[in-house]
Amino acid sequence: MAREHALGPLYQEHLYLGASFRERTGSPLAMPEGYAGEGAAFPDGAALSDLWGQRMRLMHGGPARDFCEAAFAGRKLAVGEARFQACLMGDGRLASVALAARTGDSEYLAIDPTPRGELLCAWLDFLQHVNQNGYEPYKGLEAEDVSQRLVPLLLWGSAARMVLSDYVQRKEDLPAPGHVRDCALDGIACLVLHVPDAGGDCYLVLAPPQRAVALWRSFLSFQVVSPVGYGRLSAHARQAFPWLGELSAASPATFTDQQLRAWGLARAEGDFVGARALRA
């Protein structure tokens, strides 16, 4: 039972589909390596993947905006926006890259798709509680690990929007690229992110664990939807996001300011943690 819990609420569903699992280093995901009959190429239509194992951190409270704009080096987010952002340590080394979403005036969600989730959370914990001669700039910030409270389902491909549109009253109810919205998918309350810069429609659906099986089966009822394992998904993701292949280890890494800005992970302003060291 402990293994099934570690592999997530959809573990049995993967077995029904003939999934194969193997021990992997360098990935936080518990998803199958592949499925019975799965082809070699990324499928047409829409690929469906279970990303259980990603670290997800919810930050809220009065200091949330100041904290996240200091902790994450990318563009400053308006409410409802989502972007991949670098998170730098004080010495300019890269802790990780997270998909940061501003889900409210004083609420942010950070999702780490890399093997560095533990490092990211440890660094954010340190930064949250920094004390400068008795002054705590982020006192009152609340941070929660919500990795076990939401099941991340990825729909990626030319038919992804069509599939999700079947669950809402209007297509306009779905988020635009680089945005996040609360959506009721057939009455199931979900948070839906339209992943930016993915080279096509890519949606991350964060579903409650108790409804994840129903949603997974419902998505697979579409003929255009195919389950995709880690092997094909990771290869496709590295083509869309070239920085992803550079983050295969769980330890900090050093990148130049030019690299991070070329990838869209850092902004021109130097008002984020690590900017001075990065540009020295």
Side-chain angles (χ1 to χ4, degrees):
M1 291 299 295
R3 175 173 170 76
E4 293 191 20
H5 176 74
L7 292 175
L10 296 175
Y11 175 61
Q12 190 62 50
E13 297 299 306
H14 299 315
L15 295 183
Y16 291 149
L17 294 170
S20 60
F21 292 86
R22 71 176 179 86
E23 295 294 328
R24 291 193 302 267
T25 57
S27 173
L29 303 180
M31 65 188 297
E33 184 65 20
Y35 295 91
E38 187 178 350
F42 204 71
D44 295 328
L48 175 64
S49 297
D50 169 20
L51 301 188
W52 181 262
Q54 288 186 137
R55 290 298 297 268
M56 294 184 282
R57 187 180 183 91
L58 183 68
M59 294 155 287
H60 55 92
R65 179 177 179 180
D66 288 343
F67 176 79
C68 288
E69 290 181 354
F72 296 101
R75 62 176 290 174
K76 297 179 180 180
L77 302 175
V79 174
E81 284 190 318
R83 292 290 188 278
F84 285 108
Q85 307 225 6
C87 178
L88 297 170
M89 304 177 77
D91 60 4
R93 290 184 299 163
L94 182 71
S96 193
V97 172
L99 180 57
R102 189 175 179 187
T103 50
D105 285 335
S106 300
E107 182 180 271
Y108 289 75
L109 179 67
I111 303 168
D112 193 332
T114 80
R116 300 162 185 258
E118 296 293 335
L119 174 62
L120 175 69
C121 290
W123 170 247
L124 292 178
D125 277 337
F126 171 80
L127 192 60
Q128 176 184 349
H129 297 103
V130 69
N131 188 314
Q132 301 171 335
N133 298 320
Y135 172 60
E136 300 175 61
Y138 307 119
K139 186 176 182 179
L141 177 70
E142 299 290 334
E144 305 172 61
D145 186 335
V146 294
S147 307
Q148 304 289 313
R149 288 161 45 187
L150 296 167
V151 179
L153 302 178
L154 190 74
L155 268 174
W156 194 353
S158 58
R161 182 173 178 81
M162 180 274 290
V163 171
L164 284 181
S165 296
D166 200 59
Y167 292 85
V168 294
Q169 292 185 344
R170 305 171 304 159
K171 289 184 178 180
E172 293 75 18
D173 293 332
L174 296 174
H179 287 76
V180 57
R181 293 190 71 170
D182 290 311
C183 294
L185 304 182
D186 268 1
I188 301 175
C190 299
L191 189 66
V192 180
L193 294 91
H194 196 154
V195 179
D197 306 320
D201 282 326
C202 182
Y203 293 91
L204 186 62
V205 178
L206 303 179
Q210 64 272 22
R211 304 300 303 275
V213 170
L215 203 54
W216 173 264
R217 292 179 177 180
S218 183
F219 287 157
L220 286 177
S221 70
F222 289 83
Q223 290 188 345
V224 294
V225 176
S226 303
V228 169
Y230 176 81
R232 283 196 297 167
L233 179 64
S234 60
H236 191 71
R238 289 179 182 185
Q239 290 180 355
F241 308 109
W243 47 265
L244 194 57
E246 304 291 334
L247 304 180
S248 57
S251 57
T254 301
F255 296 95
T256 67
D257 179 44
Q258 289 80 5
Q259 284 176 305
L260 296 179
R261 290 172 66 177
W263 288 330
L265 303 178
R267 57 185 181 264
E269 299 88 347
D271 55 349
F272 52 87
V273 172
R276 180 177 298 178
L278 178 68
R279 297 170 181 176

